[in-house]
Amino acid sequence: MGLLDTLKAKADRVKGKAGDFVHQHEDKIERGLDKAAKTVDTKTKGKYSDRIGTGTGKAKEALGRIAHKDTGAPGAGASDTGTPGTPPGAAPEAGKDREPGT
């Protein structure tokens, strides 16, 4: 077994342990995210509330994907963007969602 194979195996074990930890403590982690978001929003006097909310939401989505990856729960894994080949959160390229000649 080569060095890269060994590192990949160890990384997979760590990833699995992290996923188990997140699954076990998901509610506490979400409360921590909410508390941090509220603190930052207070310190910035609401100037960045929309961005803080967006970032917190994305962090919670990622947390949910990690926590429920092995359970097969809805939302675990790839998200439906509506356009095949478009990464989550990205807008489809202009003209690609229309039929030719329209």
Side-chain angles (χ1 to χ4, degrees):
M1 188 181 258
L3 178 63
L4 286 177
D5 292 333
T6 303
L7 291 175
K8 285 180 184 179
K10 288 183 180 186
D12 285 341
R13 280 190 296 241
V14 170
K15 187 176 178 182
K17 287 182 182 182
D20 292 343
F21 178 83
V22 170
H23 182 71
Q24 187 177 6
H25 300 287
E26 185 176 8
D27 57 331
K28 292 178 184 178
I29 297 169
E30 284 187 4
R31 281 197 308 263
L33 285 170
D34 288 334
K35 187 175 179 179
K38 183 177 179 182
T39 300
V40 171
D41 195 35
T42 301
K43 295 286 185 179
T44 59
K45 298 177 182 167
K47 185 176 180 181
Y48 302 103
S49 291
D50 55 335
R51 292 183 182 146
I52 293 167
T54 300
T56 303
K58 288 184 179 186
K60 286 182 179 182
E61 288 174 14
L63 183 68
R65 284 193 306 269
I66 293 168
H68 302 292
K69 184 175 111 177
D70 295 332
T71 63
S79 64
D80 183 15
T81 61
T83 305
T86 304
E93 291 182 35
K96 284 202 170 185
D97 57 342
R98 290 185 264 149
E99 291 188 27
T102 59

